[in-house]
Amino acid sequence: MDEASILQRGVESANLSRLLASVASQDAASLKSLYERTSAKLYGIALRLIGDEAEAQDLLQEVYVTVWRKASSFDAKRASAITWLATITRNRAIDRLRARRDPGENLDAARDIADDAPTSLDLLEREDDAVRLRLCLDELEDRARRMIRAAFFDGATYPELAERENVPLPTMKSWVRRGLIRLRGCLEQ
């Protein structure tokens, strides 16, 4: 992910936080704008968990009703707006999945059901890790930063990078390896 994308993501996160603050004041236009910016992502989460398009659409409507009622409980210091919205969506989906089960089903059977979806804490930790990664990448020299981003975020191969930079393949591998070593050192601090 390049610096412009990271900056854009931060701007979008701030915009979503502002929209949630407006929704908390019962501003319907802000809810509409929030829906337009986030519904595709939240629908994807709902569909992945529920597995049924119509039910995922119903769930998404419930999510935005909840957002309308509880936007004032959003705290940007605890999570980003999209993380907060994704958590609501995930929790609603899990509630629906639980409601599908046979009421007579033994609760002991629930221990055997794995929940592969990330928890709220996992989402927050990932966001923190992304910030740390971005800061550590920024500490690398420009060439190493560009090559690592191209290799790991854009999917460029070592031969493609070597050709792009007009250097031998072993040189490119060394540049990336040294950059990764410095990056790991920074992340381990």
Side-chain angles (χ1 to χ4, degrees):
M1 182 180 304
D2 63 5
E3 290 178 37
S5 297
I6 292 170
L7 181 61
Q8 179 62 31
R9 177 184 266 176
V11 168
E12 183 62 17
S13 181
N15 287 340
L16 293 178
S17 293
R18 281 192 288 279
L19 284 172
L20 275 171
S22 295
V23 171
S25 301
Q26 304 295 290
D27 180 7
S30 293
L31 181 65
K32 180 179 185 236
S33 182
L34 183 72
Y35 177 86
E36 290 168 350
R37 292 175 182 216
T38 61
S39 61
K41 181 177 185 94
L42 299 183
Y43 175 73
I45 293 169
L47 184 59
R48 181 176 53 86
L49 292 170
I50 298 292
D52 177 79
E53 289 184 18
E55 196 170 355
Q57 291 169 358
D58 288 344
L59 183 134
L60 191 62
Q61 182 177 357
E62 279 181 31
V63 166
Y64 285 100
V65 168
T66 300
V67 169
W68 178 254
R69 288 189 338 226
K70 297 191 176 195
S72 62
S73 67
F74 169 69
D75 182 359
K77 293 176 186 137
R78 293 181 61 202
S80 70
I82 197 66
T83 299
W84 187 75
L85 293 166
T87 300
I88 292 172
T89 305
R90 179 185 170 275
N91 291 343
R92 289 287 177 167
I94 289 171
D95 290 346
R96 280 197 179 221
L97 291 172
R98 287 178 181 149
R100 282 184 189 172
R101 284 189 270 161
D102 179 14
E105 189 175 324
N106 187 341
L107 287 178
D108 291 332
R111 279 187 248 158
D112 298 332
I113 299 173
D115 182 6
D116 296 333
T119 65
S120 300
L121 182 58
D122 291 337
L123 292 172
L124 288 172
E125 286 176 355
R126 284 183 190 167
E127 193 169 303
D128 287 344
D129 289 345
V131 169
R132 282 185 45 230
L133 177 60
R134 184 178 64 241
L135 292 173
C136 286
L137 276 170
D138 288 344
E139 289 184 15
L140 295 177
E141 67 179 47
D142 182 56
R143 180 179 59 200
R145 180 176 47 249
R146 284 185 299 108
M147 296 306 107
I148 289 172
R149 283 188 170 143
F152 292 94
F153 298 133
D154 300 336
T157 64
Y158 287 123
E160 290 171 343
L161 292 172
E163 184 177 322
R164 186 184 310 168
E165 294 294 314
N166 198 25
V167 296
L169 182 59
T171 301
M172 178 54 63
K173 288 182 177 180
S174 293
W175 287 354
V176 172
R177 182 175 179 277
R178 284 192 304 266
L180 289 174
I181 289 169
R182 286 191 296 273
L183 183 62
R184 183 178 65 196
C186 176
L187 290 171
E188 288 176 349
Q189 291 179 356

